[in-house]
């Protein structure tokens, strides 16, 4: 997919036939933005993606009332968001101020800086990606 997820895997069968092995079961109920998400990766600002640090999970819980809260892997944050179609606007977040390991703090700083840059979201199955207004990937989430 455009998000780099493997959907189909092909295997050559006898007499040139092709077998399709699905790697996931499609959901009968499409996922919506509202709910809990676990961050898997975020942009490094240079065209690459950085994986979330093991042991420092980043979460986001989007509520129907427009509130957004979660964990940065170190601190708790809260903010608000608005949606129109696939467009999203997220306000700057307030967070607790506990100190953590430098690499976890770096992850937190990057994450909190990226949230208000989001301009579009796309949900595909149990994955969600936030893009900036130019279409650059910012944050990749997965439903827990």
């Amino acid at each position: 997919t455009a998000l780099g997820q493997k959907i189909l895997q092909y295997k050559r069968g006898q007499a040139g036939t092709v077998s399709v092995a699905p790697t996931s079961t499609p959901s009968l109920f499409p996922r919506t933005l509202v709910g809990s998400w676990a961050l898997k990766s975020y942009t490094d600002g240079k065209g690459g993606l950085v994986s979330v640090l093991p042991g420092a999970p980043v979460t986001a819980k989007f509520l129907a009332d427009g509130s957004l809260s979660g964990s940065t892997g170190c601190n708790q944050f809260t903010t608000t968001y608005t949606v129109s179609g696939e467009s999203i606007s997220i306000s700057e977040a307030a967070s607790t101020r506990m100190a953590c390991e430098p690499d976890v703090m770096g992850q937190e700083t990057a994450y909190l800086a990226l949230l208000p840059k989001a301009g579009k979201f796309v949900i595909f199955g149990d994955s969600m990606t936030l893009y900036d207004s130019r279409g650059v990937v910012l944050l990749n989430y997965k439903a827990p």
Side-chain angles (χ1 to χ4, degrees), residues 29 59 67:
F29 304 100
T59 61
S67 60

Side-chain angles (χ1 to χ4, degrees), residues 65-91:
D65 68 0
S67 60
L68 168 59
S69 61
S71 171
T72 64
C74 178
N75 287 289
Q76 300 299 308
F77 74 92
T78 185
T79 186
T80 59
Y81 73 96
T82 57
V83 170
S84 176
E86 289 184 343
S87 295
I88 189 168
S89 176
I90 302 174
S91 300

Side-chain angles (χ1 to χ4, degrees), residues 7-141:
I7 298 174
L8 301 173
Q9 180 175 345
Y10 294 92
K11 182 177 179 183
R12 181 174 284 270
Q14 291 182 321
T17 61
V18 175
S19 304
V20 178
T23 59
S24 65
T25 305
S27 172
L28 297 176
F29 304 100
R31 180 113 174 122
T32 65
L33 174 70
V34 173
S36 296
W37 297 92
L39 187 69
K40 294 301 173 189
S41 62
Y42 57 95
T43 183
D44 65 1
K46 302 172 190 167
L49 293 174
V50 177
S51 294
V52 172
L53 295 168
V58 177
T59 61
K61 185 172 185 178
F62 291 83
L63 297 180
D65 68 0
S67 60
L68 168 59
S69 61
S71 171
T72 64
C74 178
N75 287 289
Q76 300 299 308
F77 74 92
T78 185
T79 186
T80 59
Y81 73 96
T82 57
V83 170
S84 176
E86 289 184 343
S87 295
I88 189 168
S89 176
I90 302 174
S91 300
E92 291 208 25
S95 69
T96 55
R97 302 220 178 243
M98 190 169 66
C100 293
E101 296 294 322
D103 54 346
V104 177
M105 294 305 296
Q107 174 178 273
E108 174 178 275
T109 299
Y111 180 68
L112 293 177
L114 291 170
L115 280 175
K117 293 181 180 179
K120 179 181 176 183
F121 71 98
V122 173
I123 297 172
F124 184 79
D126 64 352
S127 296
M128 175 178 63
T129 301
L130 295 181
Y131 299 85
D132 70 9
S133 60
R134 297 172 298 149
V136 174
V137 172
L138 298 175
L139 303 159
N140 290 310
Y141 294 90

